[in-house]
Coordinates of all heavy atoms in Angstrom, one line a residue:
M217 N -134.5 45.4 11.8 CA -133.7 46.2 11.0 C -132.2 45.8 11.3 O -131.8 45.8 12.4 CB -133.9 47.7 11.2 CG -132.9 48.6 10.6 SD -133.0 50.4 10.8 CE -134.2 50.6 12.1
L218 N -131.5 45.6 10.2 CA -130.0 45.3 10.4 C -129.2 46.6 10.2 O -129.4 47.2 9.1 CB -129.6 44.2 9.3 CG -128.1 43.9 9.3 CD1 -127.7 43.2 10.6 CD2 -127.9 42.9 8.1
L219 N -128.4 46.9 11.1 CA -127.5 48.0 11.0 C -126.1 47.5 10.7 O -125.7 46.6 11.3 CB -127.5 48.9 12.3 CG -128.8 49.6 12.7 CD1 -128.6 50.3 14.0 CD2 -129.1 50.6 11.6
I220 N -125.5 48.1 9.7 CA -124.2 47.7 9.3 C -123.3 48.9 9.6 O -123.5 50.1 9.2 CB -124.1 47.4 7.8 CG1 -125.0 46.2 7.5 CG2 -122.7 47.2 7.4 CD1 -125.0 45.8 6.1
P221 N -122.2 48.7 10.4 CA -121.3 49.8 10.8 C -120.3 50.1 9.7 O -119.2 49.4 9.6 CB -120.6 49.3 12.1 CG -120.6 47.8 11.9 CD -121.9 47.4 11.1
C222 N -120.6 51.0 8.8 CA -119.6 51.4 7.8 C -118.4 52.0 8.6 O -118.5 52.8 9.5 CB -120.2 52.5 6.9 SG -119.0 53.2 5.7
P223 N -117.2 51.6 8.2 CA -116.0 52.1 8.9 C -115.8 53.6 8.8 O -115.1 54.2 9.6 CB -114.8 51.4 8.2 CG -115.4 50.2 7.5 CD -116.8 50.6 7.2
W224 N -116.4 54.2 7.8 CA -116.2 55.7 7.6 C -117.4 56.5 8.0 O -117.3 57.7 8.3 CB -115.8 55.9 6.1 CG -114.5 55.3 5.8 CD1 -113.3 55.8 6.1 CD2 -114.3 54.0 5.2 NE1 -112.4 54.9 5.7 CE2 -112.9 53.8 5.1 CE3 -115.2 53.0 4.7 CZ2 -112.4 52.6 4.6 CZ3 -114.6 51.9 4.2 CH2 -113.3 51.7 4.1
C225 N -118.6 55.9 7.9 CA -119.9 56.7 8.2 C -120.5 56.3 9.5 O -121.4 57.0 9.9 CB -120.8 56.5 7.0 SG -120.2 56.9 5.4
G226 N -120.2 55.2 10.1 CA -120.8 54.7 11.3 C -122.0 53.8 10.9 O -122.2 53.4 9.7
P227 N -122.8 53.4 11.9 CA -124.0 52.5 11.6 C -125.0 53.1 10.7 O -125.4 54.2 10.9 CB -124.5 52.3 13.0 CG -123.5 52.7 14.0 CD -122.7 53.8 13.3
R228 N -125.4 52.3 9.7 CA -126.5 52.7 8.8 C -127.3 51.5 8.5 O -126.9 50.4 8.7 CB -125.9 53.2 7.5 CG -125.0 54.4 7.6 CD -125.8 55.7 7.9 NE -125.1 56.9 7.8 CZ -124.3 57.5 8.7 NH1 -124.2 56.9 9.9 NH2 -123.7 58.6 8.5
E229 N -128.5 51.8 8.0 CA -129.4 50.7 7.6 C -128.9 49.8 6.5 O -128.2 50.3 5.6 CB -130.8 51.2 7.2 CG -131.5 51.9 8.4 CD -133.0 52.3 8.0 OE1 -133.5 51.7 7.0 OE2 -133.5 53.2 8.6
Q230 N -129.2 48.6 6.5 CA -128.7 47.6 5.6 C -129.1 48.0 4.1 O -128.4 47.7 3.2 CB -129.2 46.2 5.9 CG -128.7 45.1 5.0 CD -129.7 44.9 3.8 OE1 -130.9 45.1 4.0 NE2 -129.2 44.5 2.7
T231 N -130.2 48.7 4.0 CA -130.7 49.0 2.7 C -129.7 50.0 1.9 O -129.8 50.1 0.7 CB -132.1 49.6 2.7 OG1 -132.0 50.8 3.6 CG2 -133.1 48.6 3.2
E232 N -128.8 50.6 2.7 CA -127.8 51.5 2.0 C -126.6 50.8 1.4 O -125.8 51.3 0.7 CB -127.3 52.5 3.0 CG -128.4 53.5 3.6 CD -127.8 54.6 4.5 OE1 -126.5 54.7 4.5 OE2 -128.6 55.2 5.1
F233 N -126.5 49.4 1.7 CA -125.4 48.7 1.3 C -125.7 47.6 0.3 O -126.8 47.2 0.1 CB -124.8 48.0 2.6 CG -124.3 48.9 3.7 CD1 -125.2 49.4 4.6 CD2 -123.0 49.2 3.8 CE1 -124.8 50.3 5.6 CE2 -122.5 50.1 4.7 CZ -123.4 50.6 5.7
S234 N -124.6 47.2 -0.4 CA -124.7 46.1 -1.3 C -123.7 45.0 -0.9 O -122.5 45.4 -0.6 CB -124.4 46.5 -2.8 OG -125.4 47.5 -3.2
Y235 N -124.1 43.8 -1.0 CA -123.2 42.7 -0.7 C -122.3 42.4 -1.8 O -122.7 42.4 -3.0 CB -124.1 41.5 -0.4 CG -123.3 40.2 0.0 CD1 -122.6 40.1 1.2 CD2 -123.3 39.1 -0.9 CE1 -121.9 39.0 1.5 CE2 -122.6 38.0 -0.6 CZ -121.9 37.9 0.6 OH -121.2 36.8 0.9
G236 N -121.0 42.2 -1.5 CA -120.0 42.0 -2.6 C -119.4 40.6 -2.6 O -118.4 40.3 -3.3
G237 N -120.0 39.7 -1.8 CA -119.5 38.3 -1.8 C -118.4 38.1 -0.8 O -118.1 38.9 0.1
E238 N -117.9 36.9 -0.8 CA -116.9 36.4 0.1 C -115.6 37.3 0.0 O -115.2 37.6 -1.1 CB -116.6 35.0 -0.1 CG -115.6 34.3 0.8 CD -115.4 32.9 0.5 OE1 -116.3 32.2 0.1 OE2 -114.2 32.4 0.8
A239 N -115.1 37.6 1.1 CA -113.8 38.4 1.2 C -112.6 37.5 1.0 O -112.7 36.3 1.3 CB -113.7 39.2 2.5
H240 N -111.5 38.1 0.6 CA -110.2 37.4 0.6 C -110.2 36.3 -0.5 O -109.4 35.3 -0.3 CB -109.8 36.9 1.9 CG -109.8 38.0 3.0 ND1 -108.9 39.0 3.0 CD2 -110.7 38.2 4.0 CE1 -109.2 39.8 4.1 NE2 -110.3 39.3 4.7
V241 N -110.9 36.4 -1.5 CA -110.8 35.4 -2.6 C -109.7 35.9 -3.5 O -109.8 37.0 -4.1 CB -112.1 35.3 -3.4 CG1 -111.9 34.3 -4.6 CG2 -113.2 34.7 -2.5
V242 N -108.6 35.2 -3.6 CA -107.4 35.6 -4.4 C -107.5 35.2 -5.8 O -107.7 34.0 -6.1 CB -106.2 35.1 -3.7 CG1 -104.9 35.5 -4.5 CG2 -106.1 35.6 -2.2
R243 N -107.3 36.1 -6.7 CA -107.3 35.8 -8.2 C -106.0 35.0 -8.5 O -104.9 35.4 -8.0 CB -107.3 37.1 -9.0 CG -107.4 36.9 -10.5 CD -107.4 38.2 -11.2 NE -107.3 38.0 -12.7 CZ -108.3 37.8 -13.5 NH1 -109.5 37.8 -13.0 NH2 -108.1 37.6 -14.8
P244 N -106.1 33.9 -9.2 CA -104.9 33.2 -9.6 C -104.0 34.1 -10.3 O -104.4 34.8 -11.2 CB -105.5 32.1 -10.5 CG -106.9 31.9 -10.1 CD -107.4 33.3 -9.7
P245 N -102.7 34.0 -10.0 CA -101.7 34.8 -10.7 C -101.5 34.6 -12.2 O -101.2 35.5 -12.9 CB -100.4 34.5 -10.0 CG -100.6 33.2 -9.3 CD -102.1 33.1 -9.1
D246 N -101.8 33.4 -12.6 CA -101.7 33.0 -14.1 C -102.9 32.3 -14.5 O -102.9 31.0 -14.6 CB -100.4 32.2 -14.3 CG -100.1 31.9 -15.8 OD1 -100.8 32.6 -16.6 OD2 -99.3 31.1 -16.1
P247 N -104.0 33.0 -14.8 CA -105.2 32.3 -15.2 C -105.1 31.4 -16.4 O -105.8 30.4 -16.5 CB -106.2 33.4 -15.4 CG -105.7 34.6 -14.7 CD -104.2 34.4 -14.7
D248 N -104.2 31.8 -17.3 CA -104.1 30.9 -18.6 C -103.6 29.6 -18.3 O -103.7 28.7 -19.1 CB -103.2 31.7 -19.6 CG -103.9 32.9 -20.1 OD1 -105.1 33.0 -20.1 OD2 -103.1 33.8 -20.6
S249 N -102.9 29.4 -17.2 CA -102.3 28.1 -16.8 C -103.3 27.1 -16.2 O -103.0 26.0 -15.9 CB -101.1 28.2 -15.9 OG -101.5 28.7 -14.7
L250 N -104.5 27.6 -15.9 CA -105.5 26.8 -15.2 C -106.4 26.0 -16.1 O -106.6 26.4 -17.3 CB -106.5 27.7 -14.3 CG -105.8 28.6 -13.3 CD1 -106.9 29.4 -12.6 CD2 -105.0 27.7 -12.3
S251 N -106.8 24.9 -15.7 CA -107.8 24.1 -16.4 C -109.2 24.8 -16.3 O -109.4 25.7 -15.4 CB -107.9 22.7 -15.9 OG -108.5 22.7 -14.6
D252 N -110.1 24.4 -17.1 CA -111.5 25.0 -17.0 C -112.1 24.7 -15.7 O -112.7 25.6 -15.1 CB -112.4 24.4 -18.1 CG -112.0 24.9 -19.5 OD1 -111.3 25.9 -19.6 OD2 -112.5 24.3 -20.5
A253 N -111.8 23.5 -15.1 CA -112.3 23.2 -13.8 C -111.7 24.0 -12.7 O -112.4 24.5 -11.8 CB -112.1 21.7 -13.5
Q254 N -110.4 24.3 -12.8 CA -109.8 25.2 -11.8 C -110.3 26.6 -11.9 O -110.5 27.3 -10.9 CB -108.3 25.1 -12.0 CG -107.6 23.8 -11.6 CD -106.2 23.7 -12.0 OE1 -105.8 24.1 -13.1 NE2 -105.4 23.2 -11.1
W255 N -110.5 27.1 -13.2 CA -111.0 28.4 -13.4 C -112.4 28.5 -12.8 O -112.8 29.5 -12.2 CB -110.9 28.8 -14.8 CG -111.3 30.2 -15.1 CD1 -112.4 30.6 -15.8 CD2 -110.7 31.4 -14.6 NE1 -112.5 32.0 -15.9 CE2 -111.5 32.5 -15.1 CE3 -109.6 31.7 -13.9 CZ2 -111.1 33.8 -14.9 CZ3 -109.3 33.0 -13.6 CH2 -110.0 34.1 -14.1
A256 N -113.2 27.5 -13.1 CA -114.6 27.5 -12.6 C -114.6 27.5 -11.1 O -115.5 28.2 -10.5 CB -115.4 26.3 -13.2
D257 N -113.7 26.8 -10.5 CA -113.6 26.7 -9.1 C -113.3 28.1 -8.5 O -113.9 28.6 -7.5 CB -112.5 25.7 -8.6 CG -112.5 25.5 -7.2 OD1 -113.5 25.1 -6.6 OD2 -111.4 25.9 -6.6
Y258 N -112.4 28.8 -9.1 CA -112.1 30.2 -8.7 C -113.3 31.1 -8.8 O -113.6 31.9 -8.0 CB -110.9 30.8 -9.5 CG -110.8 32.3 -9.4 CD1 -110.5 32.9 -8.2 CD2 -111.1 33.0 -10.5 CE1 -110.4 34.3 -8.2 CE2 -111.1 34.4 -10.5 CZ -110.7 35.0 -9.3 OH -110.7 36.4 -9.2
L259 N -114.0 31.0 -10.0 CA -115.1 31.9 -10.2 C -116.3 31.7 -9.4 O -117.0 32.6 -8.9 CB -115.5 31.8 -11.7 CG -114.6 32.4 -12.8 CD1 -115.1 32.1 -14.1 CD2 -114.3 33.9 -12.5
F260 N -116.6 30.4 -9.2 CA -117.9 30.1 -8.6 C -118.0 29.5 -7.2 O -119.0 29.6 -6.5 CB -118.7 29.2 -9.6 CG -118.9 29.8 -10.9 CD1 -118.2 29.2 -12.0 CD2 -119.6 30.9 -11.1 CE1 -118.4 29.8 -13.3 CE2 -119.7 31.5 -12.4 CZ -119.1 30.9 -13.5
M261 N -116.9 28.8 -6.8 CA -117.0 28.0 -5.6 C -116.6 28.9 -4.4 O -115.6 29.5 -4.4 CB -116.0 26.8 -5.6 CG -116.4 25.8 -6.8 SD -118.1 25.3 -6.7 CE -118.1 24.3 -5.2
R262 N -117.5 29.0 -3.5 CA -117.3 29.8 -2.3 C -117.7 29.0 -1.1 O -118.4 28.1 -1.1 CB -118.2 31.1 -2.3 CG -117.9 32.0 -3.5 CD -116.5 32.6 -3.4 NE -116.2 33.5 -4.4 CZ -115.4 33.2 -5.5 NH1 -114.9 32.0 -5.6 NH2 -115.1 34.1 -6.4
Q263 N -117.2 29.5 0.1 CA -117.5 28.8 1.3 C -119.0 29.2 1.7 O -119.5 30.2 1.2 CB -116.6 29.3 2.4 CG -115.1 28.9 2.2 CD -114.3 29.3 3.3 OE1 -114.7 29.3 4.5 NE2 -113.0 29.5 3.1
N264 N -119.6 28.4 2.4 CA -120.9 28.6 2.9 C -121.0 28.2 4.3 O -121.8 27.3 4.7 CB -121.9 27.8 2.0 CG -123.3 28.2 2.3 OD1 -123.6 29.3 2.8 ND2 -124.3 27.3 1.9
P265 N -120.3 28.9 5.2 CA -120.2 28.4 6.6 C -121.4 28.7 7.4 O -122.2 29.7 7.1 CB -119.0 29.2 7.1 CG -119.1 30.5 6.4 CD -119.5 30.1 5.0
R266 N -121.6 27.9 8.4 CA -122.6 28.2 9.4 C -121.9 28.9 10.5 O -121.2 28.2 11.3 CB -123.3 26.9 9.9 CG -124.4 27.2 10.8 CD -125.1 25.8 11.2 NE -126.4 26.1 11.8 CZ -126.5 26.3 13.2 NH1 -125.4 26.3 13.9 NH2 -127.7 26.5 13.7
G267 N -122.0 30.2 10.6 CA -121.3 31.0 11.6 C -120.5 32.1 11.0 O -120.9 32.8 10.1
R268 N -119.3 32.2 11.5 CA -118.4 33.3 11.1 C -118.1 33.3 9.6 O -117.6 32.3 9.1 CB -117.1 33.2 11.9 CG -116.1 34.4 11.8 CD -114.9 34.1 12.7 NE -114.1 35.3 12.7 CZ -113.0 35.4 12.0 NH1 -112.6 34.5 11.2 NH2 -112.2 36.5 12.1
H269 N -118.3 34.4 9.0 CA -118.1 34.5 7.5 C -117.4 35.9 7.2 O -117.9 36.9 7.7 CB -119.4 34.4 6.8 CG -119.2 34.2 5.3 ND1 -119.9 34.9 4.4 CD2 -118.4 33.4 4.6 CE1 -119.6 34.6 3.2 NE2 -118.7 33.6 3.3
L270 N -116.4 35.9 6.4 CA -115.7 37.1 6.0 C -116.3 37.6 4.7 O -116.3 36.9 3.7 CB -114.2 36.9 5.9 CG -113.6 36.3 7.1 CD1 -112.1 36.1 6.9 CD2 -113.8 37.2 8.4
E271 N -116.9 38.8 4.7 CA -117.6 39.3 3.5 C -117.2 40.7 3.1 O -116.7 41.5 3.9 CB -119.1 39.4 3.9 CG -119.7 38.1 4.4 CD -121.1 38.2 4.9 OE1 -121.5 39.3 5.3 OE2 -121.8 37.2 4.9
Q272 N -117.4 41.0 1.8 CA -117.2 42.3 1.2 C -118.6 43.0 1.2 O -119.5 42.5 0.7 CB -116.6 42.2 -0.2 CG -115.3 41.5 -0.3 CD -114.9 41.4 -1.7 OE1 -114.0 42.2 -2.1 NE2 -115.4 40.5 -2.5
W273 N -118.5 44.3 1.5 CA -119.7 45.1 1.4 C -119.3 46.5 0.8 O -118.2 46.9 1.0 CB -120.4 45.4 2.8 CG -121.0 44.2 3.3 CD1 -120.5 43.1 4.0 CD2 -122.4 43.8 3.2 NE1 -121.4 42.2 4.4 CE2 -122.6 42.6 3.9 CE3 -123.5 44.5 2.6 CZ2 -123.9 42.0 4.0 CZ3 -124.8 43.9 2.7 CH2 -124.9 42.7 3.4
V274 N -120.2 47.1 0.1 CA -120.0 48.5 -0.3 C -121.2 49.4 0.2 O -122.3 49.0 0.1 CB -119.9 48.5 -1.9 CG1 -121.1 48.1 -2.6 CG2 -119.5 49.9 -2.3
H275 N -120.8 50.6 0.6 CA -121.8 51.5 1.1 C -122.4 52.3 -0.1 O -122.1 53.4 -0.3 CB -121.2 52.4 2.1 CG -122.2 53.2 2.9 ND1 -121.9 54.1 3.9 CD2 -123.6 53.1 2.9 CE1 -123.0 54.6 4.5 NE2 -124.0 54.0 3.9
T276 N -123.2 51.6 -0.8 CA -123.7 52.1 -2.1 C -124.4 53.4 -2.1 O -124.1 54.3 -2.9 CB -124.7 51.0 -2.7 OG1 -124.1 49.8 -2.7 CG2 -125.1 51.4 -4.1
Y277 N -125.2 53.6 -1.1 CA -126.0 54.9 -0.9 C -125.4 55.7 0.2 O -126.2 56.5 0.8 CB -127.5 54.6 -0.7 CG -128.1 53.8 -1.9 CD1 -128.4 52.5 -1.8 CD2 -128.3 54.5 -3.1 CE1 -128.9 51.8 -2.9 CE2 -128.8 53.8 -4.2 CZ -129.1 52.4 -4.1 OH -129.6 51.8 -5.2
G278 N -124.1 55.7 0.4 CA -123.4 56.5 1.3 C -122.1 57.0 0.8 O -122.1 57.6 -0.3
C279 N -121.1 56.5 1.4 CA -119.7 57.0 0.9 C -119.2 56.2 -0.3 O -118.2 56.6 -0.9 CB -118.7 56.8 2.1 SG -118.5 55.1 2.6
R280 N -119.9 55.1 -0.7 CA -119.6 54.3 -1.8 C -118.2 53.6 -1.7 O -117.6 53.3 -2.7 CB -119.6 55.1 -3.1 CG -121.0 55.8 -3.3 CD -121.1 56.6 -4.6 NE -121.1 55.6 -5.7 CZ -121.2 56.0 -7.0 NH1 -121.5 57.2 -7.3 NH2 -121.2 55.1 -7.9
R281 N -117.8 53.4 -0.5 CA -116.5 52.8 -0.3 C -116.7 51.3 0.1 O -117.7 51.0 0.8 CB -115.7 53.5 0.8 CG -115.3 54.9 0.4 CD -114.6 55.6 1.5 NE -113.3 55.1 1.6 CZ -112.4 55.6 2.5 NH1 -112.7 56.6 3.3 NH2 -111.2 55.1 2.6
W282 N -115.7 50.5 -0.3 CA -115.8 49.1 0.0 C -115.1 48.8 1.3 O -114.2 49.5 1.8 CB -115.0 48.3 -1.1 CG -115.7 48.1 -2.3 CD1 -115.7 49.0 -3.4 CD2 -116.6 47.1 -2.7 NE1 -116.5 48.5 -4.4 CE2 -117.1 47.4 -4.0 CE3 -117.1 45.9 -2.1 CZ2 -118.0 46.5 -4.7 CZ3 -118.0 45.1 -2.7 CH2 -118.4 45.4 -4.0
F283 N -115.5 47.8 2.0 CA -114.9 47.3 3.2 C -115.3 45.8 3.4 O -116.1 45.3 2.7 CB -115.4 48.2 4.4 CG -116.9 48.1 4.7 CD1 -117.4 47.2 5.6 CD2 -117.7 49.0 4.0 CE1 -118.8 47.2 5.9 CE2 -119.1 48.9 4.2 CZ -119.6 48.0 5.2
N284 N -114.6 45.2 4.4 CA -114.9 43.9 4.8 C -115.6 43.8 6.1 O -115.5 44.7 7.0 CB -113.6 43.1 4.9 CG -112.9 43.0 3.5 OD1 -113.5 42.8 2.5 ND2 -111.6 43.1 3.6
A285 N -116.4 42.8 6.3 CA -117.1 42.6 7.6 C -117.0 41.1 8.0 O -117.0 40.2 7.2 CB -118.6 43.0 7.4
V286 N -117.0 41.0 9.3 CA -117.1 39.6 9.9 C -118.5 39.5 10.3 O -119.0 40.2 11.3 CB -116.1 39.4 11.1 CG1 -116.3 38.0 11.6 CG2 -114.7 39.7 10.6
R287 N -119.3 38.6 9.7 CA -120.7 38.5 10.0 C -121.0 37.0 10.3 O -120.5 36.1 9.7 CB -121.6 38.9 8.8 CG -123.1 38.9 9.1 CD -123.9 39.4 7.9 NE -123.8 38.5 6.7 CZ -124.6 37.4 6.5 NH1 -125.5 37.1 7.4 NH2 -124.4 36.7 5.5
D288 N -121.8 36.8 11.3 CA -122.3 35.5 11.7 C -123.5 35.2 10.8 O -124.5 35.9 10.8 CB -122.7 35.4 13.2 CG -123.0 34.0 13.6 OD1 -123.9 33.4 13.0 OD2 -122.3 33.6 14.6
T289 N -123.4 34.1 10.0 CA -124.5 33.8 9.1 C -125.7 33.2 9.8 O -126.8 33.1 9.2 CB -124.0 32.7 8.0 OG1 -123.6 31.6 8.7 CG2 -122.9 33.3 7.2
V290 N -125.6 32.9 11.0 CA -126.8 32.4 11.8 C -127.5 33.5 12.4 O -128.8 33.6 12.3 CB -126.4 31.4 12.9 CG1 -127.6 30.9 13.7 CG2 -125.7 30.2 12.2
T291 N -126.8 34.4 13.1 CA -127.4 35.5 13.9 C -127.5 36.8 13.1 O -128.1 37.8 13.5 CB -126.7 35.8 15.2 OG1 -125.3 36.2 14.8 CG2 -126.6 34.5 16.0
Y292 N -126.7 36.9 12.0 CA -126.6 38.1 11.2 C -125.7 39.2 11.9 O -125.5 40.3 11.4 CB -127.9 38.8 10.8 CG -128.6 38.0 9.7 CD1 -129.4 36.9 10.1 CD2 -128.5 38.3 8.4 CE1 -130.1 36.1 9.1 CE2 -129.1 37.5 7.4 CZ -129.9 36.5 7.8 OH -130.5 35.7 6.8
R293 N -125.3 38.9 13.1 CA -124.5 39.9 13.9 C -123.2 40.1 13.2 O -122.5 39.2 12.8 CB -124.2 39.4 15.3 CG -123.5 40.3 16.2 CD -123.3 39.7 17.6 NE -122.4 40.6 18.4 CZ -121.1 40.5 18.4 NH1 -120.5 39.6 17.8 NH2 -120.4 41.4 19.1
I294 N -122.8 41.4 13.0 CA -121.6 41.8 12.5 C -120.6 42.2 13.6 O -120.9 43.1 14.4 CB -121.7 43.0 11.5 CG1 -122.5 42.6 10.3 CG2 -120.4 43.6 11.1 CD1 -122.9 43.6 9.3
S295 N -119.6 41.4 13.8 CA -118.7 41.6 15.0 C -117.6 42.5 14.7 O -116.9 43.0 15.6 CB -118.2 40.2 15.5 OG -117.5 39.6 14.4
A296 N -117.2 42.7 13.4 CA -116.1 43.6 13.1 C -116.2 44.1 11.6 O -116.8 43.4 10.8 CB -114.8 42.9 13.3
V297 N -115.7 45.2 11.4 CA -115.5 45.7 10.0 C -114.1 46.2 9.9 O -113.4 46.6 10.8 CB -116.5 46.8 9.6 CG1 -117.9 46.3 9.6 CG2 -116.4 48.0 10.6
Y298 N -113.5 46.0 8.7 CA -112.1 46.4 8.4 C -111.9 46.7 7.0 O -112.7 46.4 6.1 CB -111.2 45.3 8.9 CG -111.4 44.0 8.3 CD1 -110.6 43.5 7.3 CD2 -112.4 43.2 8.8 CE1 -110.8 42.3 6.7 CE2 -112.6 41.9 8.2 CZ -111.8 41.5 7.2 OH -112.0 40.3 6.6
G299 N -110.9 47.5 6.7 CA -110.7 48.0 5.3 C -110.2 46.9 4.3 O -109.7 45.9 4.7
P300 N -110.4 47.2 3.0 CA -109.9 46.3 2.0 C -108.4 46.2 2.1 O -107.7 47.2 2.4 CB -110.3 47.0 0.7 CG -111.4 47.9 1.1 CD -111.1 48.3 2.5
G301 N -107.9 45.0 2.0 CA -106.4 44.8 2.1 C -105.9 44.6 3.5 O -104.8 44.2 3.7
E302 N -106.8 44.8 4.5 CA -106.4 44.5 5.9 C -106.7 43.1 6.2 O -107.5 42.4 5.6 CB -107.2 45.5 6.8 CG -106.8 46.9 6.6 CD -107.6 47.8 7.6 OE1 -108.3 47.3 8.5 OE2 -107.6 49.0 7.4
R303 N -106.0 42.6 7.2 CA -106.2 41.2 7.7 C -107.5 41.2 8.5 O -107.8 42.1 9.2 CB -105.0 40.7 8.5 CG -103.8 40.6 7.7 CD -102.6 40.2 8.6 NE -102.9 38.9 9.2 CZ -102.3 37.8 8.8 NH1 -101.3 37.9 8.0 NH2 -102.6 36.6 9.4
A304 N -108.2 40.0 8.4 CA -109.4 39.8 9.2 C -109.0 39.7 10.7 O -108.0 39.2 11.0 CB -110.1 38.5 8.8
P305 N -109.9 40.3 11.5 CA -109.6 40.1 13.0 C -109.8 38.7 13.4 O -110.4 37.9 12.7 CB -110.8 41.0 13.6 CG -111.4 41.7 12.5 CD -111.0 41.1 11.2
D306 N -109.1 38.3 14.5 CA -109.2 36.9 14.9 C -110.7 36.6 15.3 O -111.5 37.4 15.6 CB -108.3 36.8 16.2 CG -106.9 36.8 15.8 OD1 -106.5 36.6 14.6 OD2 -106.1 37.2 16.7
A307 N -110.9 35.3 15.3 CA -112.2 34.8 15.6 C -112.6 35.2 17.1 O -111.7 35.3 17.9 CB -112.3 33.3 15.5
G308 N -113.8 35.5 17.3 CA -114.3 35.9 18.6 C -114.2 37.3 18.9 O -114.5 37.8 20.0
T309 N -113.8 38.1 17.9 CA -113.7 39.6 18.1 C -114.9 40.2 17.6 O -115.6 39.7 16.9 CB -112.5 40.2 17.4 OG1 -112.5 39.9 16.0 CG2 -111.2 39.7 18.0
Ligands
LIG445 ZN1 -119.9 54.8 4.4

């Protein structure tokens, strides 16, 4: 069982959460100026690291609030959670 530490509710089972994709993907300020390839890159291309990954999660069946998590894609270990708009903790935390 994977426990995810919601910043507001504490540790809960993973089944209460929904994955929201990679964190810190910045929307281009002027999408109309982008080529189709650049727009497709923004929409679809994401990192797929082996190891530390910054992710968005929502506590769907709890407080329904969004947050970010630092999760290792190999071990599934979540080393940190932090609020939307906050900076990611340094590696190794
Ligand atoms: Zn919660």
Side-chain angles (χ1 to χ4, degrees):
M217 170 183 11
L218 176 64
L219 291 178
I220 296 177
C222 175
W224 297 277
C225 305
R228 298 288 192 273
E229 291 186 24
Q230 180 270 328
T231 55
E232 295 185 12
F233 295 84
S234 299
Y235 179 67
E238 183 179 326
H240 306 290
V241 176
V242 178
R243 183 181 174 88
D246 184 13
D248 291 336
S249 69
L250 300 179
S251 68
D252 288 347
Q254 290 171 317
W255 183 245
D257 185 62
Y258 161 69
L259 289 178
F260 303 113
M261 300 305 291
R262 297 293 181 261
Q263 297 187 27
N264 188 20
R266 183 177 195 276
R268 185 177 190 262
H269 191 228
L270 305 178
E271 305 174 336
Q272 300 177 101
W273 288 84
V274 61
H275 195 180
T276 307
Y277 297 107
C279 64
R280 303 181 69 174
R281 295 177 73 179
W282 286 89
F283 60 95
N284 296 320
V286 180
R287 184 178 67 87
D288 188 302
T289 59
V290 176
T291 65
Y292 288 85
R293 181 178 176 271
I294 294 175
S295 59
V297 292
Y298 56 101
E302 295 179 8
R303 295 178 62 110
D306 291 337
T309 56

